[in-house]
Amino acid sequence: MADSLAKFIQLPLFNEPRGNLSFIESGRHVPFEFSRVYYIYDIPSGAVRARHAHKELHQLLIAVSGSFDVRLHDGVTEEFVTLNRPNIGLHVEPRIWHDLLNFSSGSVCLALASAPYEESDYIRHFDQFLDYVGT
């Protein structure tokens, strides 16, 4: 059986009566140094985000509020996972197609990226992705 495409990372969690606290340190809690942080919010019902793969970029996706599904595809295998806990991140490696969908109302997706935005790193069409990964 092939390894799962979903690489989950459990983040530190301090649970106490005053509330929970989680944090992420670059290079310590994730298997890459991150240089960009962004978040997606106010997502309309039925919207699908991402719909691309990266050539070199690593990302960590976290549902800091609410929930959403992630479709992962490596050119052969497809997996669906749900993110719904703010102390669990999904490491999306390079050469993995990913779609974000089924956002709950009020959900927020936090993303940590291993490099600044660079359009040339994106593969935005699935058929081109399949050619790129050689399937």
Side-chain angles (χ1 to χ4, degrees), residues 3-80:
D3 289 337
S4 175
L5 299 177
K7 310 290 187 206
F8 292 104
I9 296 174
Q10 179 134 6
L11 301 171
L13 171 63
F14 293 96
N15 182 324
E16 61 173 75
R18 298 178 300 153
N20 296 334
L21 180 138
S22 287
F23 62 94
I24 307 161
E25 294 176 357
S26 186
R28 182 173 176 197
H29 299 116
V30 294
F32 59 89
E33 298 286 332
F34 54 89
S35 61
R36 180 169 50 116
V37 177
Y38 63 94
Y39 45 97
I40 305 167
Y41 61 99
D42 289 343
I43 302 108
S45 178
V48 178
R49 298 296 311 239
R51 298 188 110 150
H52 62 262
H54 290 282
K55 297 173 185 173
E56 303 292 330
L57 186 83
H58 289 257
Q59 294 181 94
L60 185 71
L61 305 177
I62 304 166
V64 293
S65 181
S67 66
F68 55 91
D69 295 331
V70 182
R71 173 187 177 242
L72 302 166
H73 204 296
D74 67 358
V76 176
T77 303
E78 177 181 71
E79 284 183 35
F80 284 85

Side-chain angles (χ1 to χ4, degrees), residues 84-106:
N84 58 10
R85 297 182 60 205
N87 67 313
I88 303 290
L90 175 66
H91 178 197
V92 180
E93 297 177 334
R95 302 171 57 97
I96 298 292
W97 184 270
H98 54 288
D99 299 324
L100 282 56
L101 58 154
N102 299 325
F103 290 88
S104 67
S105 178

